[in-house]
Amino acid sequence: MLQDYPSARAAGCPFDPPPNLQALREQAPLVRVRLEDGSTPWLVTRYAEQKALLGDKRVSSDVTKPGYPMPMANGVPRSSGLSFILMDDPEHARQRRMVSASFTIKRVEAMRPGVQQIVDDLIDRMLAGPKPVDLVKAFALPVPSLVICQLLGVPYDDHDFFQDNSKVLINRYEDPAARTAAAGRLFEYLDRLVGAKLDNPGDDLLSGLVGRIQDGELSRTDAAQMGVLMLIAGHETTANMIALGTLALLENPDQLAVLRESDDPEVVANAVEELLRYLNITHNGRRRVATEDIEIAGQVIRAGEGVIMPGDIANRDPDAFPDEPDRLDIHRNARHHVAFGFGVHQCLGQPLARMELQVVYSTLYRRIPALRLATDIDKIPFKHDASVYGVYELPVTW
Ligand code: HEM
């Protein structure tokens, strides 16, 4: 029988993929699922096939192509203008190249002392304030928001505005009119900023794009869309990794103790990879449509058929992670995970996300060794309704 997609994570297992999807992975590498609009794309359940398809030029990320497995909200396709993440090469590569220099390991490493300062200042403020405190509001959201604002040249004072609108955009059940309105507000905001930088450029990523507009390489609309993509991708994802990662570590005190006691950057870097694998917060799956017939794992995906690749079940595939993949083990080698995707669209911001998480995980638990939950785990609101998984609130004390 065809299963509906997406399916829910089970109550009581907040870190695990939906059990029915894990079961499908054991049955076959490719199965048909049913989406809300009645279409029946392929679900790719295993790590090897997901990587093969994500690296295959015969799959497209273009949502306007017939057969694309469109995410729905309340029966209506979730329209989205998320810039080059939804384009194919060569235009995707052309636009991506315009911003990729800001995310090289060298550029990101130069930002590390500034990120450490941001993290230390926020912890100072938490320690000086009342407790319990909501770690999401006091720490997890501000860290990546401050960093991406600095990088893009967006005023951090506007954080309530862009965080609230991003939240609406990534909610799977949000009223379509409300989503469109939120997308419009974010676009107008970035467009205004780009306009201001046309008159008065600074030393930031958006000002770099303004130079491209002036050279006739990029339209102002595309520049603003790129700004929206990087502003949302740059804060939502990392914020959820900080809060959900902290919760996962609090639930695994032996692993938390390793991070609290080790000052070895290798141990921390390894823990970041394992937490990315284990939590896989972009839990709705990479979506593509085949542009040609593709033969894979004894099946033929026909041109025009949709393909969905949920990283959460790939990252728990025992063929790729043999030693009890459903267990969090910060010492395992997890570097080959697909939490950042794979292929031409793999996460542009991954060096930045990695560095931010390394700074956070190596600082927070050492500076607040008695950090603990201030409520029961079953009272924590999980983001089952959002396309980026995490927690809405994380009350902690020490
Ligand atoms: C832990 C944090 C993060 C996670 C788990 C994550 C995850 C992902 C994933 C899975 C994709 C692939 C999408 C696809 O194949 O369709 C992606 C793409 C992307 N991410 Fe991230 N991301 C994170 C942080 C960031 C940050 C900090 C930025 C900074 C701007 C960023 C910017 C982007 C962009 C621009 C793309 C589109 C790349 C392309 O289409 O070529 N991400 N991300």
Side-chain angles (χ1 to χ4, degrees):
M1 205 185 73
L2 273 187
Q3 302 222 13
D4 291 332
Y5 189 85
S7 15
R9 293 189 173 211
C13 297
F15 308 119
D16 290 344
N20 64 323
L21 297 189
Q22 297 257 65
L24 285 178
R25 187 190 57 228
E26 273 148 45
Q27 281 168 31
L30 268 84
V31 292
R32 294 269 192 187
V33 285
R34 186 177 38 223
L35 302 192
E36 210 189 314
D37 64 359
S39 63
T40 55
W42 293 100
L43 183 87
V44 185
T45 66
R46 294 185 190 160
Y47 176 90
E49 283 76 13
Q50 283 199 15
K51 264 189 128 167
L53 284 166
L54 285 169
D56 194 317
K57 290 199 163 41
R58 295 169 295 172
V59 298
S60 164
S61 291
D62 181 351
V63 277
T64 64
K65 281 205 160 68
Y68 184 94
M70 200 65 172
M72 308 286 283
N74 297 329
V76 179
R78 273 203 273 144
S79 66
S80 165
L82 276 187
S83 184
F84 59 83
I85 197 169
L86 299 178
M87 292 176 189
D88 293 332
D89 288 350
E91 184 58 16
H92 156 262
R94 196 184 76 86
Q95 291 197 15
R96 181 174 164 130
R97 264 199 307 273
M98 289 185 192
V99 286
S100 54
S102 300
F103 297 95
T104 58
I105 291 180
K106 199 168 160 212
R107 291 282 283 275
V108 162
E109 277 311 311
M111 293 168 69
R112 191 182 281 266
V115 172
Q116 183 70 57
Q117 191 65 55
I118 287 172
V119 166
D120 280 325
D121 290 349
L122 286 165
I123 294 175
D124 287 343
R125 210 172 303 164
M126 272 201 307
L127 288 171
K131 48 185 184 180
V133 63
D134 174 14
L135 193 80
V136 173
K137 208 162 171 203
F139 186 73
L141 258 177
V143 171
S145 303
L146 279 157
V147 174
I148 198 69
C149 280
Q150 257 175 30
L151 183 73
L152 293 179
V154 168
Y156 180 70
D157 282 351
D158 297 335
H159 66 95
D160 282 339
F161 165 80
F162 67 74
Q163 287 166 354
D164 289 350
N165 282 293
S166 302
K167 211 194 276 176
V168 175
L169 258 190
I170 65 164
N171 189 308
R172 283 165 30 186
Y173 304 109
E174 191 57 75
D175 172 49
R179 291 188 85 253
T180 307
R185 282 192 294 272
L186 280 168
F187 175 79
E188 272 166 33
Y189 174 71
L190 262 301
D191 184 61
R192 261 202 315 277
L193 269 181
V194 168
K197 285 173 199 292
L198 270 167
D199 297 333
N200 195 6
D203 182 23
D204 50 55
L205 196 151
L206 287 181
S207 298
L209 290 182
V210 159
R212 305 280 184 165
I213 299 174
Q214 285 162 335
D215 293 345
E217 291 174 43
L218 191 68
S219 70
R220 179 165 162 173
T221 302
D222 282 345
Q225 291 285 21
M226 283 160 92
V228 175
L229 168 61
M230 283 180 287
L231 185 58
I232 298 178
H235 83 275
E236 263 295 339
T237 46
T238 311
N240 283 308
M241 272 306 298
I242 295 173
L244 192 66
T246 297
L247 179 59
L249 288 164
L250 289 170
E251 291 296 296
N252 289 272
D254 55 325
Q255 313 267 311
L256 180 60
V258 175
L259 278 178
R260 198 188 290 128
E261 279 145 33
S262 170
D263 54 8
D264 181 348
E266 284 298 314
V267 170
V268 177
N270 208 69
V272 166
E273 300 310 315
E274 169 65 353
L275 281 154
L276 284 161
R277 177 196 76 87
Y278 181 71
L279 298 172
N280 200 96
I281 53 166
T282 57
H283 63 144
N284 272 350
R286 315 273 60 80
R287 291 173 186 239
R288 303 287 191 267
V289 57
T291 55
E292 292 174 33
D293 290 358
I294 302 171
E295 214 182 313
I296 184 161
Q299 295 282 2
V300 178
I301 302 173
R302 298 274 171 216
E305 288 185 337
V307 185
I308 301 180
M309 293 162 279
D312 52 2
I313 47 173
N315 278 338
R316 302 291 184 94
D317 184 340
D319 286 340
F321 303 96
D323 191 11
E324 296 180 63
D326 292 327
R327 192 167 51 87
L328 177 71
D329 172 6
I330 62 167
H331 294 300
R332 104 168 60 230
N333 174 10
R335 279 172 204 199
H336 51 298
H337 65 72
V338 287
F340 288 125
F342 185 70
V344 291
H345 285 280
Q346 76 171 278
C347 182
L348 173 71
Q350 58 187 287
L352 178 61
R354 287 196 159 103
M355 183 271 282
E356 290 182 56
L357 293 173
Q358 288 164 6
V359 172
V360 165
Y361 295 152
S362 65
T363 308
L364 181 62
Y365 321 119
R366 287 165 72 87
R367 288 209 49 204
I368 316 184
L371 189 78
R372 63 178 194 278
L373 275 187
T375 185
D376 292 337
I377 188 162
D378 49 5
K379 296 215 175 71
I380 292 173
F382 287 91
K383 296 186 175 178
H384 293 291
D385 54 354
S387 50
V388 184
Y389 188 63
V391 290
Y392 283 108
E393 273 173 38
L394 192 65
V396 293
T397 191
W398 49 87

